[in-house]
């Protein structure tokens, strides 16, 4: 169970109240001319909720976790009442970014792949937690929940990487960006923060049967390829990867 | 020696189209550069107004137990929110940086309400201007 899920469970009885209070608060604070929602600090949130008798949640960090989970329904309600567009760009543009992108994984059935693709596309417009997406996949394909989470997470990451990589220009290089912590795979540790050509990426092998350009280090990988120009690399002093880096990463990869 | 080039209306239109195409490519390059700027800045725990506040003790504990960095607020646990950033051309040559999926967009909004991180700093603006100048001079 994820951190957010355990919080949601713990505060299940409080959440409807949190949503109602937030909804009323946001509605009262919305700018009448621009229709924009106000920025809310943790302390402000805490004050609002405390004044409504919800003193159980004292930790601003936990409060924001709850806020994140409840904000979608709050904003959707506000939007439905006020014609407020919560997205900065049109939903159609967002939808186009993921539409038509097919998820690829050799180890699972075409039906499951197609289902993952549909769920990810749906998630462009409808807020869905990873758990909700995994539950959907489980219902539609009978895979176990744990496997469904990995498949959906990997499928989503694949679509995200594909969307960005597809915007690369002819002369683009690719910066491998993301976390470098104790949970990072040795394969990713060997290449994170370095800049690669597309040819070098093609030589990388994560040994998981998944292409590195769209899947990074493999299943559940948290990293991304950022297309950058040669001038960007030069002016920011970024490190260009060598053939040795490619060989080292490949030797660190595990099945 | 001076040369005067006279273009027909049709040729002028073709030149204009070529210039617009070049300009669109430059704008795309800058959008991708800013996306990279945001990601690299946030990975160092920096928001639009400098260093972001540290995580609370309770959240730090959860992050630490999962093997994640806790010394800076890098807005990264699963990586899904930052990986969700993309660019789209919303008009001829006009690019926006945005989030692909609704859940991550809301998560980003919630983080933005707490402390501004999505946007452009003065330093980044200057860097983009220099980058644009270099590209034009090529």
């Amino acid at each position: 169970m994820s951190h957010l899920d355990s919080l949601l469970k713990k505060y299940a009885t409080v959440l409807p109240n949190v949503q109602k209070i937030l909804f009323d608060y946001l509605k009262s604070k919305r700018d009448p001319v621009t229709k924009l929602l106000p920025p809310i600090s943790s302390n402000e949130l805490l004050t609002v909720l405390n004044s409504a008798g919800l003193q159980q949640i004292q930790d601003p960090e936990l409060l924001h976790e709850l806020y994140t989970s409840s904000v979608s329904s709050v904003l959707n309600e506000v939007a439905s009442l006020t014609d407020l567009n919560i997205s900065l760009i049109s939903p159609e543009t967002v939808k186009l970014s993921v539409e038509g992108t097919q998820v690829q994984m050799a180890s699972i059935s075409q039906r499951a792949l197609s289902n993952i693709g549909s769920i990810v596309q749906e998630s462009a417009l409808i807020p869905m937690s990873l758990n909700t997406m995994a539950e959907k996949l489980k219902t539609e394909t009978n895979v176990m929940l744990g496997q469904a989470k990995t498949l959906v997470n990997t499928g989503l990451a694949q679509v995200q990487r594909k969307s960005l990589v597809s915007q690369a220009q002819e002369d683009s290089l690719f910066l491998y960006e993301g976390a470098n912590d104790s949970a990072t795979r040795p394969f990713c540790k060997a290449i994170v923060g370095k800049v690669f050509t597309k040819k070098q990426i093609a030589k990388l092998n994560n040994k998981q049967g998944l292409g590195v350009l769209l899947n990074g280090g493999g299943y559940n990988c948290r990293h991304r390829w950022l297309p950058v120009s040669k001038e960007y690399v030069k002016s920011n002093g970024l490190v260009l990867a060598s053939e040795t880096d490619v060989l080292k990463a490949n030797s660190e990869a595990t099945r | 020696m001076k040369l005067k080039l006279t273009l027909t209306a049709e040729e002028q239109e073709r030149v204009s189209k070529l210039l617009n195409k070049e300009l669109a490519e430059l704008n795309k390059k800058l959008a991708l550069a800013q996306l990279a700027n945001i990601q690299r800045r946030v990975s160092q725990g920096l928001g639009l107004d400098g260093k972001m506040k540290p995580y609370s003790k309770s959240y730090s504990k959860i992050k630490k137990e999962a093997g994640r960095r806790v010394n800076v607020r890098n807005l990264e646990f699963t990586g899904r929110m930052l990986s969700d950033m993309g660019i789209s051309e919303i008009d001829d040559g006009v690019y926006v940086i945005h989030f692909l999926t609704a859940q991550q967009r809301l998560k980003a909004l919630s983080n933005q309400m707490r402390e501004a991180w999505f946007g452009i700093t003065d330093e980044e603006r200057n860097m983009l201007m220099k980058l644009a100048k270099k590209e034009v001079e090529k």
Side-chain angles (χ1 to χ4, degrees):
Chain A
M1 187 183 282
S2 74
H3 171 51
L4 184 57
D5 290 329
S6 59
L7 279 176
L8 289 177
K9 201 173 170 189
K10 187 175 172 188
Y11 292 108
T13 53
V14 184
L15 259 184
N17 283 337
V18 174
Q19 292 187 356
K20 189 180 179 317
I21 292 159
L22 274 176
F23 177 65
D24 291 340
Y25 183 70
L26 285 169
K27 220 167 52 165
S28 70
K29 295 275 280 188
R30 189 171 54 88
D31 188 297
V33 180
T34 63
K35 312 278 187 204
L36 288 174
L37 293 173
I40 303 175
S41 68
S42 295
N43 285 341
E44 199 180 353
L45 260 181
L46 212 55
T47 311
V48 173
L49 295 176
N50 281 349
S51 68
L54 287 171
Q55 288 91 343
Q56 294 105 311
I57 315 166
Q58 285 297 338
D59 184 339
E61 200 78 38
L62 295 183
L63 184 65
H64 258 279
E65 286 285 353
L66 284 174
Y67 177 64
T68 305
S69 68
S70 59
V71 77
S72 69
S73 57
V74 173
L75 291 183
N76 284 340
E77 272 186 78
V78 174
S80 68
L81 290 178
T82 60
D83 293 331
L84 178 73
N85 188 354
I86 59 167
S87 159
L88 289 176
I89 58 171
S90 78
E92 276 312 304
T93 307
V94 175
K95 206 171 159 214
L96 277 175
S97 300
V98 297
E99 217 162 46
T101 45
Q102 289 171 346
V103 177
Q104 297 160 355
M105 281 176 243
S107 58
I108 59 167
S109 70
Q110 274 304 317
R111 190 172 150 235
L113 281 179
S114 161
N115 280 321
I116 297 169
S118 306
I119 292 167
V120 171
Q121 284 183 34
E122 200 182 337
S123 77
L125 296 182
I126 301 164
M128 278 190 274
S129 69
L130 184 74
N131 267 3
T132 309
M133 293 164 89
E135 286 284 358
K136 265 173 111 64
L137 183 65
K138 182 180 169 248
T139 313
E140 287 163 17
T141 59
N142 289 327
V143 293
M144 303 291 281
L145 186 62
Q147 192 193 2
K149 277 187 191 173
T150 297
L151 293 174
V152 166
N153 194 28
T154 306
L156 173 63
Q158 208 176 80
V159 171
Q160 290 167 331
R161 287 192 197 96
K162 201 179 274 188
S163 160
L164 205 47
V165 165
S166 70
Q167 295 287 354
Q169 294 168 299
E170 214 173 310
D171 57 349
S172 283
L173 298 169
F174 298 85
L175 167 65
Y176 198 59
E177 174 65 22
N180 188 0
D181 49 35
S182 63
T184 305
R185 288 183 172 105
F187 173 84
C188 295
K189 267 191 184 293
I191 57 175
V192 71
K194 290 181 179 155
V195 179
F196 291 75
T197 62
K198 218 168 184 177
K199 265 188 183 171
Q200 285 176 316
I201 298 171
K203 286 183 193 167
L204 287 167
N205 183 356
N206 56 29
K207 296 196 181 138
Q208 298 207 9
L210 297 169
V212 175
L213 185 63
L214 296 186
N215 298 283
Y219 290 97
N220 289 323
C221 177
R222 295 174 287 159
H223 296 92
R224 45 212 167 260
W225 289 109
L226 305 180
V228 285
S229 67
K230 282 175 190 156
E231 282 299 338
Y232 184 89
V233 172
K234 212 171 143 187
S235 57
N236 285 283
L238 298 177
V239 181
L240 289 167
S242 63
E243 290 306 303
T244 315
D245 290 319
V246 173
L247 293 173
K248 186 172 185 296
N250 289 349
S251 70
E252 299 277 7
T254 48
R255 284 176 207 286
Chain B
M1 185 174 75
K2 281 186 179 176
L3 276 177
K4 192 181 175 192
L5 185 65
T6 311
L7 299 174
T8 63
E10 196 184 318
E11 284 166 339
Q12 277 179 19
E13 201 185 320
R14 274 168 60 194
V15 169
S16 164
K17 268 186 187 171
L18 277 174
L19 283 174
N20 286 341
K21 202 179 160 196
E22 288 284 315
L23 193 61
E25 281 296 299
L26 176 62
N27 283 343
K28 187 180 197 181
K29 200 158 274 184
L30 296 180
L32 287 170
Q34 184 51 25
L35 192 150
N37 280 342
I38 296 173
Q39 299 238 352
R40 292 176 55 238
R41 168 166 48 76
V42 170
S43 76
Q44 296 170 60
L46 299 173
L48 292 182
D49 303 315
K51 195 176 176 195
M52 291 193 277
K53 289 172 210 155
Y55 288 115
S56 71
K57 276 185 186 168
S58 52
Y59 193 64
S60 289
K61 190 169 172 265
I62 292 159
K63 270 196 98 180
K64 201 173 180 181
E65 279 170 5
R68 268 56 170 178
R69 276 176 77 194
V70 292
N71 56 341
V72 288
R73 181 185 289 279
N74 60 358
L75 306 182
E76 179 139 13
F77 193 98
T78 64
R80 281 194 287 275
M81 187 188 80
L82 293 176
S83 296
D84 212 55
M85 285 169 69
I87 66 163
S88 286
E89 188 178 21
I90 54 163
D91 204 347
D92 285 345
V94 180
Y95 284 86
V96 289
I97 302 174
H98 62 91
F99 292 84
L100 297 177
T101 63
Q103 182 79 5
Q104 303 312 318
R105 198 154 49 247
L106 291 167
K107 205 192 278 184
L109 178 68
S110 174
N111 278 316
Q112 185 80 354
M113 283 175 167
R114 177 202 297 242
E115 204 164 352
W117 62 277
F118 187 83
I120 179 165
T121 64
D122 288 343
E123 199 184 333
E124 286 163 353
R125 192 180 301 277
N126 290 338
M127 180 260 177
L128 290 182
M129 289 301 112
K130 278 183 192 164
L131 201 65
K133 207 173 161 216
K134 277 184 186 166
E135 291 293 339
V136 171
E137 283 168 358
K138 263 186 186 175

